[in-house]
Amino acid sequence: MVRELAEKTTIDVLLQEKRVFHPSKDMVNSSNVKKWMDEHGIKTYDELLERAKDIEWFWGEVPKEVVEWYEPPKKVLEWNEPYAKWYLGAKYNIVHDAVDKHVKTWRKNKLAFIWEGEPGEVRKLTYFDLYKQVNRLANALKALGIGKGDVVGIYLPMVLELPISMLACAKIGAIHSVVFSGFSAGGLQQRLQDCEAKVLITCDGLYRRGQVVPLKEQADEAIEKAPNVKKVIVSERTKYPISWTEGRDLWWHEFVDKQSPKCETERLDANDILYILYTSGTTGKPKGVVHAHGGYAVGTALTVKWVFDIKDEDIWWCSADIGWVTGHSYIVYAPLILGATSVMYEGAPDHPQPDRWWEIGEKYGVTIFYTAPTAIRMHMRYGEKWVYKHDLSSLRLLGTVGEAINPEAWMWYHKHVGKERCPIMDTWWQTETGSFVISPLPITPLKPGSATRPLPGFSAGVFDEKGNVVKEGGGDLYLPNPWPAMLRGLYKAPERYKTTYWSRLPHMYLAGDKVRKDEDGYFWIQGRADDILKVAGHRIGNYEVESALVSHPKVAEAVVIGKPHPIKGESIVAFVVLKEGLKPSDELRKELREHVAKEMGKIARPSEVWFVKDVPKTRSGKIMRRLVRAKVLGEKLGDISTLKNPEAIDDITYAV
Ligand code: WTA
C-alpha cells in the first residue's frame, strides 16, 4: 500500500539518523517497573525480559502487585491450546479489586472519576459513591431476575452510568456486552441477538457537537427484532422525548435509585466470563470476543501500572470510548483496580473549539494522557496554537493506541503536547489481547513510530509467507505464548476461534497485522494483513460495509476498500453494482451512503461511492478486494491468474 511505502521511507530515515529518545534518569528511577526490578534484584530491562520468559514464574509473581484474591490460585496456567486457563482454583471477582477493596481504605473518598459533559457540567464520583451506585444497579438487575452467567446488553455513551453498569453486571456474575453508542439499530440488534441479552441498559440520548443524538430510538428499533431483550433500563441524559413501552422499560432514576446501596459481590471462579465484546472480522457477523475475570484483571492492571506508571497522585486520562476495548481495559477495569483517578469526557474533542481537550487537561491537571493517532492528526491540523493556550505542565507521560503512529504525528505530539519532556508509550494490542502486548515502558529508549518490543511476560515474532520465523525484516505478526488477559474464545463460535487465530501456523496466535522487526528487535506495525479497516481508530470489516450496501434494494453487489486518509488513517471507498436497469445518480450515491450510516452507524459511512458494471471475482465467485485496492492506489495488480472477469478491473475508475 502507498501508506506503508511512505511510512517505510520515513522510518528508514529515522533509523539511519538513529533518532532514539531516551527517558530521563528521574523518570526511570521513580518508575513502578524499576521499583519491582529493584525488589527482585533485576538490574537491566533486558534482564527483566529474559527472566520474564519463564511466564509461569513471572505471571505467578506479579498478581500481588495488583489484585487480591478471595482464595489464591493453585496453579498459574493450564494451556490446552488454543484455550488457556489462568490462576486456576482462585476465587475472585474483578469488582472486589475495582471497587470493594478501596472503600475499606483511605481511597474510600478518593475520586474514581472526574466526568465532564459536552455542555460543560461536571460530576465527580468517589470510590464510595461508585460502590453505592454499583450496588444499587446490581440489586436492580437481581430484581429483574439477572444472575450468574446471564448476559446484559449495554448501549450507553460516555456517561458515568456506563462504567457503573459494567461493574454492576460483573458484581453479580452476569456477563456484560457493551455496544458502542456510535452503532445504529442494525449493529445493536445483531449483537444483542447473538449474545442473547435478557436486559438492555441505555439512555434517552447523547450530546455530540452541541446536538442531541437520540439513542433510545435506536434501541427500540433494535429490540423489535431482538425479542430476547425483555427489560430495558433507561438513564436520563438529555431529556430528549422518547417512546415508552410499559412493562418493558424502566427509568434508572425511579427503579435503580430506590434499591439498597448494599450488595454482596459474587465469589466467582477466576476463569468465569466477565464480558463479551464484539469486534469486526473479515467475513460473516462480528466476533464475540470473550474475556474472563482473573487473568484479565492481572494483565490489564499490571500493564497500565508499568507502562503508564500510574501512581496515587496521578490524574489519568484515556480519551477512548468505553464502547471499545481500550475503554473497557484502560478506563474502567485497570485504573480502578489501581485506585486511580480518571478523567472521562463525554463529547467531541473539538467542541465548541479545537482546544476543548487541552482545556480539560489544564483544568484537572492531567498527568498521563492516552489517545489515538487519528486524534493527534486532527489536532495537528487545527494547529499547535490551540495547545499553547493552556498550561499542560502537569503532563508527565503520553500514549497512543489504535494504529501505527506516523513519525510526523509522533514528533508533533512529543514537541507541542509533551514539550519534549514526556515519553510516548505507543501501545500495540487488540480487542483479543485484552491488554497491551508490544509497548515501551517509561524506561525504554523510543523510536518514533515503533511500539518497541513485547512487554515482560509476552513474546511476539514475525513469520514470512512460507511460515518461517524472520529474525529481522517484514512479515506477519504472531504471538507464540498464552498471556493472562488473552481472549478465552469467541462466543458460541469455537470453530471460528480456531480457524481465525490458531490455524495458519501451529502453536501460534495469528494477530492479523503486518509488521517489520529491526536490528534492535523493535517492531514497526505496518497495518492489517486482512480485510479489516481502521477508520479513525474504529475497527470495521470491509465485509460488514459490503453487506450493509447489498441490503439496499437497488444494489446487486458491492466491494469496499480502505484508502489512505491524512487524518482518519483510512477512508472507506465503495464500488457498487446496481440491479438490472437502474441508473447511477448523485442522489442514489447519497442514498447509499446514508443507508450504510443507518444500517451500521455513521462510523461506517463510505466517503466515496462509485458505480461500476461488475466487480473483479475469482472463478469461484469470490470478490477480489486486493485487485480493487491495487487499482485504486495505482499499485501493481500482482497475481491475476484466478481472476474470472479482467474487464471488471478496467471498470474500477473514478469516472463513473
Ligand atoms: C491496530 C485496539 C499499530 C492493529 C486496542 C491491531 C495498532 C488493531 C496499535 C486492533 C499500535 C492497535 N500500532 N497498530 N500501537 N494498536 N493497532 O481490536 O492493526 O480495535 O490489530 O484494538 O489495531 O484493533 P482493536
Side-chain angles (χ1 to χ4, degrees):
M1 280 169 63
V2 169
R3 183 165 56 105
E4 276 174 29
L5 292 177
E7 273 178 16
K8 263 187 213 157
T9 323
T10 332
I11 289 164
D12 284 338
V13 171
L14 283 168
L15 283 174
Q16 273 160 18
E17 290 177 2
K18 290 246 177 286
R19 214 185 299 171
V20 176
F21 291 76
H22 291 271
S24 72
K25 280 215 168 61
D26 279 355
M27 173 71 72
V28 173
N29 288 332
S30 65
S31 67
N32 289 334
V33 62
K34 177 74 168 38
K35 185 165 165 266
W36 194 88
M37 285 162 62
D38 290 346
E39 284 166 9
H40 289 77
I42 295 172
K43 298 219 162 40
T44 63
Y45 183 42
D46 283 330
E47 191 185 332
L48 171 62
L49 290 175
E50 205 46 47
R51 286 278 298 275
K53 279 190 180 155
D54 180 351
I55 54 172
E56 291 195 40
W57 169 77
F58 179 77
W59 290 112
E61 186 66 15
V62 290
K64 57 177 171 285
E65 283 293 291
V66 281
V67 301
E68 282 179 10
W69 312 112
Y70 292 129
E71 280 175 34
K74 297 191 174 61
K75 198 173 167 199
V76 175
L77 169 67
E78 190 180 273
W79 182 221
N80 269 328
E81 195 188 306
Y83 292 99
K85 280 193 176 162
W86 285 90
Y87 307 116
L88 285 90
K91 287 271 167 274
Y92 186 64
N93 188 313
I94 200 166
V95 178
H96 172 78
D97 273 315
V99 188
D100 301 356
K101 77 176 177 200
H102 300 307
V103 301
K104 292 185 217 134
T105 70
W106 67 269
R107 292 194 188 89
K108 180 173 177 179
N109 293 315
K110 184 181 173 180
L111 291 181
F113 288 110
I114 304 170
W115 175 88
E116 188 166 305
E118 194 186 75
E121 66 278 56
V122 178
R123 275 173 79 189
K124 293 185 178 173
L125 204 70
T126 65
Y127 275 91
F128 191 40
D129 296 331
L130 181 65
Y131 172 78
K132 286 183 286 188
Q133 299 245 35
V134 167
N135 287 347
R136 285 201 173 92
L137 181 61
N139 284 325
L141 290 170
K142 276 189 186 172
L144 297 178
I146 296 295
K148 192 178 164 198
D150 290 328
V151 181
V152 174
I154 304 175
Y155 182 54
L156 283 169
M158 287 291 283
V159 290
L160 288 169
E161 284 69 21
L162 178 46
I164 291 168
S165 299
M166 293 159 72
L167 293 160
C169 293
K171 177 148 204 156
I172 59 172
I175 299 164
H176 60 73
S177 188
V178 178
V179 180
F180 174 56
S181 61
F183 280 116
S184 57
L188 175 64
Q189 174 229 322
Q190 192 180 35
R191 288 163 177 79
L192 287 177
Q193 252 179 327
D194 191 76
C195 70
E196 297 160 301
K198 294 183 173 163
V199 168
L200 177 69
I201 307 175
T202 187
C203 69
D204 48 0
L206 62 103
Y207 287 102
R208 198 73 191 171
R209 294 212 159 80
Q211 306 279 321
V212 172
V213 179
L215 212 59
K216 170 78 162 47
E217 229 172 57
Q218 300 293 321
D220 286 337
E221 199 182 319
I223 296 168
E224 255 178 50
K225 292 189 208 130
N228 47 300
V229 177
K230 302 289 182 223
K231 296 281 177 191
V232 182
I233 299 178
V234 188
S235 165
E236 190 171 51
R237 167 70 190 115
T238 57
K239 298 204 159 51
Y240 188 85
I242 55 173
S243 60
W244 198 256
T245 305
E246 263 334 308
R248 185 196 74 183
D249 298 351
L250 299 153
W251 278 117
W252 182 304
H253 57 262
E254 288 171 3
F255 179 61
V256 178
D257 286 355
K258 71 176 184 207
Q259 305 286 331
S260 156
K262 288 203 171 132
C263 177
E264 274 292 307
T265 302
E266 188 84 21
R267 287 174 176 241
L268 304 170
D269 185 286
N271 288 290
D272 279 339
I273 300 182
L274 170 63
Y275 69 76
I276 304 166
L277 182 60
Y278 285 87
T279 188
S280 296
T282 50
T283 53
K285 52 188 188 183
K287 304 177 286 197
V289 170
V290 172
H291 284 291
H293 277 249
Y296 180 79
V298 174
T300 57
L302 185 84
T303 50
V304 83
K305 182 170 180 178
W306 282 10
V307 171
F308 285 107
D309 199 39
I310 296 188
K311 305 201 174 83
D312 260 319
E313 338 40 291
D314 279 308
I315 302 288
W316 162 249
W317 185 14
C318 165
S319 76
D321 193 293
I322 296 176
W324 304 103
V325 75
T326 306
H328 277 58
S329 296
Y330 296 112
I331 298 177
V332 183
Y333 289 109
L336 292 176
I337 291 172
L338 300 184
T341 299
S342 284
V343 169
M344 218 177 124
Y345 168 59
E346 177 187 38
D350 53 354
H351 186 84
Q353 295 202 118
D355 61 343
R356 183 66 186 266
W357 271 11
W358 317 125
E359 183 188 286
I360 292 173
E362 177 179 25
K363 190 164 161 193
Y364 304 112
V366 170
T367 58
I368 313 171
F369 181 54
Y370 184 37
T371 192
T374 181
I376 297 166
R377 289 190 296 260
M378 185 185 89
H379 287 294
M380 260 173 97
R381 190 192 53 181
Y382 285 127
E384 55 269 18
K385 66 171 192 272
W386 294 100
V387 185
Y388 287 98
K389 281 180 193 289
H390 299 278
D391 174 5
L392 295 177
S393 55
S394 56
L395 283 174
R396 63 184 195 91
L397 266 175
L398 299 172
T400 69
V401 61
E403 57 179 304
I405 179 164
N406 47 317
E408 293 72 16
W410 196 102
M411 300 302 280
W412 187 90
Y413 193 32
H414 187 250
K415 183 163 179 202
H416 301 299
V417 181
K419 313 289 186 287
E420 296 182 354
R421 280 184 305 106
C422 308
I424 299 176
M425 303 293 109
D426 177 352
T427 60
W428 178 89
W429 61 295
Q430 311 175 296
T431 306
E432 293 87 340
T433 69
S435 70
F436 311 147
V437 174
I438 304 175
S439 164
L441 289 164
I443 59 172
T444 313
L446 305 171
K447 298 182 190 181
S450 167
T452 75
R453 294 190 280 176
L455 288 165
F458 295 87
S459 12
V462 185
F463 64 86
D464 64 18
E465 275 165 18
K466 293 191 192 102
N468 300 317
V469 171
V470 177
K471 280 229 159 70
E472 199 189 317
D476 285 270
L477 179 64
Y478 71 85
L479 309 179
N481 299 321
W483 61 97
M486 71 186 284
L487 75 168
R488 302 311 178 88
L490 295 177
Y491 194 62
K492 292 194 305 187
E495 274 313 309
R496 195 171 179 199
Y497 173 58
K498 274 189 210 153
T499 50
T500 310
Y501 306 106
W502 300 97
S503 61
R504 176 119 168 252
L505 285 180
H507 318 302
M508 284 172 192
Y509 168 88
L510 179 74
D513 278 12
K514 286 276 175 208
V515 68
R516 221 158 59 90
K517 196 171 156 193
D518 72 17
E519 74 272 19
D520 299 322
Y522 276 43
F523 288 76
W524 302 80
I525 308 287
Q526 316 271 288
R528 294 291 306 190
D530 52 12
D531 282 321
I532 287 179
L533 302 157
K534 269 282 175 159
V535 182
H538 303 303
R539 181 166 157 180
I540 300 165
N542 300 48
Y543 177 86
E544 285 176 286
V545 185
E546 289 162 3
S547 304
L549 283 165
V550 293
S551 75
H552 189 282
K554 292 181 183 156
V555 174
E557 274 183 311
V559 56
V560 159
I561 60 146
K563 182 171 140 187
H565 185 277
I567 293 166
K568 293 194 280 186
E570 277 185 309
S571 66
I572 302 178
V573 181
F575 292 89
V576 168
V577 182
L578 293 175
K579 284 195 179 148
E580 249 344 277
L582 292 170
K583 285 213 167 51
S585 68
D586 274 344
E587 289 78 67
L588 188 51
R589 184 172 271 147
K590 209 168 141 218
E591 192 178 316
L592 293 180
R593 293 180 66 229
E594 289 319 311
H595 177 73
V596 176
K598 187 170 176 303
E599 285 296 302
M600 285 186 67
K602 286 190 186 130
I603 51 165
R605 178 161 52 200
S607 311
E608 300 170 32
V609 173
W610 301 99
F611 298 104
V612 287
K613 288 195 215 73
D614 200 359
V615 290
K617 280 191 215 123
T618 60
R619 283 170 219 288
S620 57
K622 204 166 167 250
I623 292 178
M624 296 181 83
R625 292 191 195 102
R626 175 178 67 81
L627 295 183
V628 178
R629 192 181 295 130
K631 180 77 195 287
V632 170
L633 301 182
E635 291 169 359
K636 285 206 190 84
L637 293 183
D639 181 10
I640 52 165
S641 56
T642 55
L643 178 64
K644 186 179 71 180
N645 50 348
E647 64 289 350
I649 295 285
D650 303 326
D651 207 20
I652 303 287
T653 65
Y654 288 138
V656 200

